[in-house]
């Protein structure tokens, strides 16, 4: 069983994430790609991140139509800041037979050596770095046998830009899946002056 792991804040999930996951799924013959929304991301505490439940549900909405895509709650249900090492350890415990492929954009790949327990990361998963407009994709300094680079269709989309667009009342249609546009409107996420509480569970 070959399991792709797509970690992210997904605030909101957009077509850049989905194209990257789909392309790696095909190229690496993955049986499944599990999207893992972070709890509180340790790199992002300067900015207020939307409630984990909102980010989780948007990820479910966005991935529901793809039979190979699933979503995991391991990071949002673990207290404290999210470290990828914990994500991979938990997934390995849940799926002991799976070979893990952690999918990451060029920007995140360049940071990886600064992540907690960086050495052990490469024991737990093979890393697939994907191209992202505006960033240079490089494996320099990383263990060559544990890292692959994959070109994916260029999607110049970021969650930061999507949030800024909503705040300015500009469209995010076609940048994020239709269901995510509707979810953002329904809960008034990212709109100027509207606090985003967690949805009822
Ligand atoms: P933010 O602007 O809030 O940081 P983001 O668009 O970078 O959001 P993240 O949730 O931070 O999205 O990213 C999750 C993963 O997806 C990271 O590995 C990131 O590099 C990758 N990724 C995000 N957007 C793209 C894109 N357009 N193309 C390829 N990879 C992407
Ligand atoms: Mg990012």
């Amino acid at each position: 069983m070959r399991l792709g792991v797509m970690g992210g804040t997904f605030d909101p999930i957009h077509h850049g994430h989905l194209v990257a996951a789909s392309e790696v799924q095909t190229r690496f013959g993955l049986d499944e790609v599990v999207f893992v929304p972070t709890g509180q991301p340790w790199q992002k505490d300067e900015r207020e991140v939307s409630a984990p439940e909102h980010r989780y549900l948007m990820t479910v909405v966005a991935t529901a139509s793809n039979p190979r895509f699933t979503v995991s709650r391991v990071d949002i249900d673990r207290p404290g800041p999210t470290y990828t090492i914990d994500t991979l350890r938990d997934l390995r415990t849940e799926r002991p037979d799976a070979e893990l492929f952690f999918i990451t954009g060029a920007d995140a790949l360049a940071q990886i050596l600064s992540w907690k327990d960086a050495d052990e990361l490469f024991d737990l998963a093979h890393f697939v770095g994907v191209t992202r407009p505006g960033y240079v994709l490089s494996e320099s300094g990383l263990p060559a046998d544990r890292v692959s680079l994959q070109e994916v269709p260029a999607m110049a989309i970021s969650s930061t830009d999507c949030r800024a667009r909503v705040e300015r009342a500009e469209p995010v249609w076609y940048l994020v899946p239709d269901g995510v546009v509707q979810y953002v409107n329904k809960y008034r996420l990212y709109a100027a002056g509207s606090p985003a509480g967690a949805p009822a569970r």
Side-chain angles (χ1 to χ4, degrees), residues 6-10 14 16-17 20 44 47 103-108 130-133 152 155-160 163:
M6 182 82 200
T9 313
F10 303 135
H14 56 66
H17 301 129
K44 290 189 179 172
R47 176 180 81 75
I103 304 163
T104 181
D107 56 317
V130 302
T131 49
R132 179 173 189 181
V152 300
M155 308 287 270
I157 308 174
S158 72
S159 299
T160 299
R163 292 190 302 271

Side-chain angles (χ1 to χ4, degrees), residues 40-176:
Q40 175 60 44
W42 61 272
Q43 308 99 320
K44 290 189 179 172
D45 31 36
E46 73 283 359
R47 176 180 81 75
E48 198 57 39
V49 174
S50 300
E53 209 60 33
H54 279 314
R55 296 184 289 102
Y56 171 77
L57 287 172
M58 287 191 281
T59 306
V60 169
V61 165
T63 55
S65 58
N66 188 322
R68 293 204 184 267
F69 286 178
T70 58
V71 187
S72 168
R73 299 185 61 96
V74 282
D75 284 350
I76 62 172
D77 286 346
R78 188 187 319 102
T82 290
Y83 297 100
T84 298
I85 191 74
D86 298 322
T87 312
L88 294 175
R89 284 178 184 145
D90 286 356
L91 288 174
R92 196 156 88 164
T93 304
E94 276 182 12
R95 319 277 280 263
D97 298 333
E99 190 182 349
L100 303 181
F101 295 79
F102 192 88
I103 304 163
T104 181
D107 56 317
L109 190 72
Q111 309 280 315
I112 225 165
L113 291 175
S114 72
W115 294 4
K116 184 167 170 263
D117 298 332
D119 294 349
E120 200 193 333
L121 287 173
F122 300 103
D123 297 333
L124 291 172
H126 191 92
F127 280 73
V128 182
V130 302
T131 49
R132 179 173 189 181
Y135 299 93
V136 175
L137 182 63
S138 158
E139 58 189 337
S140 85
L142 304 175
D145 56 328
R146 300 301 286 159
V147 178
S148 305
L149 304 183
Q150 175 65 52
E151 183 167 351
V152 300
M155 308 287 270
I157 308 174
S158 72
S159 299
T160 299
D161 179 53
C162 292
R163 292 190 302 271
R165 283 168 163 270
V166 174
E167 190 171 352
R168 295 190 302 254
E170 292 171 8
V172 289
W173 291 110
Y174 318 117
L175 299 175
V176 306

